[in-house]
Amino acid sequence: MQEATDKVRRARRGIAIYLVVLLLVSAPFQVDIALHGMVPTSFVPFVWVPCLASVVARFVLREGFGDVSFRLDRRAAWAMIPALIYPVVVALPAYGLAWGTGIAALDPPSMHPLGFAIPGSTPGERLLAGGIIALTIGPLVLSVLALGEEIGWRGYLLPRLIDARVPHPALVTGLVWGFWHTPLILSGHYNPSPSPILSLLFFVVALCGQSYYAARLRLDTGSVWPPVVLHAGWNAILVSFFGASTTGEHAALWASEGGLLVALSSAVLTFILLRWRRGQESAPSSRSSALGTVRL
């Protein structure tokens, strides 16, 4: 009993240290991005702050790094497939409805958001080329950024919330993750929108849905790599492909990472996954991160 109580207290101290470091170190980068835009010199270090916060917390509490779990076995490798499919399943109904109803227009760009040209002389050719890039090169490149966040979110915060017996740890992780972007979205430099406040709320809903599935992947495989692939795939597929191929005066409020349709699609998919996993919410004890029976 005393050992369990000590584990809870230690986890709560770790969460407190993590959040304080996260907020303090993130603030200068958030201010710089809000004032000067999404320049690489600020944005790239910013997305690695969750990793830094977890490292500081581990050193302060003299913890190791084994529970981050960079395991890459067959189970983790196979889990990367549904991790890449997830953003496609969220994006297709949301953007399809927006394009089909005329709320937004399909307009494949000639330049990728990462700065290189997309092959193709017609919209159809660019759409095909952009889709291939989104499923292959995009996740590989963007995994460098996703890794910095996932070492913090799913590699540290999620397990500590579970150990601290915080209710709904996946939801709490999603809320912290989503609202961490607040200065970027409200400044209009990240996911620019006619109504930044509404976009922030829709964005948080969408990320909470993604957070549940990322947590499930982390616990089921005992590895941080499937959540990294999910995160990178989300940015490459939903944001850099579907989002970049969508235009319209109010498109950002309907079909974007901070759009109503994406938030609804993410929420509905999460509801379906929760129903499907009812009665199966335990991570496999022999293959997972030894977190035991977990209710997300």
Side-chain angles (χ1 to χ4, degrees):
M1 179 64 72
Q2 183 61 42
E3 183 179 350
T5 302
D6 290 343
K7 183 178 181 181
V8 170
R9 289 175 178 171
R10 187 178 185 84
R12 290 177 178 175
R13 288 199 298 269
I15 292 169
I17 295 169
Y18 176 84
L19 292 178
V20 168
V21 175
L22 179 75
L23 294 174
L24 290 179
V25 180
S26 295
F29 296 114
Q30 290 171 326
V31 170
D32 189 67
I33 292 170
L35 293 175
H36 305 108
M38 302 282 288
V39 292
T41 52
S42 294
F43 186 70
V44 173
F46 171 68
V47 298
W48 276 86
V49 172
C51 173
L52 174 64
S54 71
V55 171
V56 172
R58 290 177 187 280
F59 272 114
V60 171
L61 296 179
R62 298 181 181 179
E63 299 172 336
F65 292 84
D67 65 312
V68 177
S69 188
F70 292 104
R71 173 191 298 159
L72 188 56
D73 57 12
R74 183 177 299 178
R75 187 181 185 88
W78 277 108
M80 293 179 185
I81 297 175
L84 272 181
I85 293 174
Y86 179 89
V88 177
V89 176
V90 172
L92 278 176
Y95 286 92
L97 183 61
W99 297 335
T101 59
I103 293 174
L106 173 61
D107 183 20
S110 57
M111 291 294 295
H112 193 276
L114 291 177
F116 57 84
I118 297 176
S121 57
T122 67
E125 291 175 351
R126 292 196 300 273
L127 186 67
L128 177 61
I132 294 173
I133 291 169
L135 291 168
T136 55
I137 301 173
L140 286 174
V141 174
L142 292 175
S143 63
V144 176
L145 303 180
L147 180 61
E149 291 192 45
E150 290 305 319
I151 290 175
W153 306 136
R154 256 61 63 172
Y156 188 85
L157 181 58
L158 174 68
R160 294 306 178 279
L161 289 170
I162 293 170
D163 288 343
R165 298 179 182 175
V166 174
H168 309 294
L171 175 61
V172 174
T173 303
L175 290 172
V176 174
W177 181 22
F179 282 113
W180 179 65
H181 292 78
T182 296
L184 281 63
I185 294 176
L186 294 185
S187 69
H189 292 300
Y190 188 89
N191 198 78
S193 163
S195 177
I197 293 178
L198 276 178
S199 282
L200 173 63
L201 295 177
F202 296 150
F203 177 85
V204 171
V205 171
L207 257 61
C208 284
Q210 186 188 160
S211 181
Y212 166 77
Y213 192 56
R216 195 68 272 167
L217 289 171
R218 167 69 177 84
L219 298 180
D220 282 351
T221 64
S223 173
V224 77
W225 289 116
V228 169
V229 172
L230 170 62
H231 192 152
W234 177 278
N235 290 338
I237 296 167
L238 190 142
V239 179
S240 298
F241 174 58
F242 281 93
S245 300
T246 303
T247 59
E249 184 179 358
H250 299 291
L253 272 178
W254 291 97
S256 74
E257 193 179 16
L260 174 61
L261 294 177
V262 171
L264 288 175
S265 182
S266 176
V268 169
L269 181 56
T270 301
F271 175 77
I272 293 172
L273 290 171
L274 283 168
R275 296 278 293 183
W276 180 69
R277 287 297 301 239
R278 179 170 290 179
Q280 305 178 47
E281 286 294 328
S282 298
S285 58
S286 62
R287 301 299 298 274
S288 72
S289 54
L291 290 171
T293 301
V294 177
R295 298 288 297 182
L296 294 178

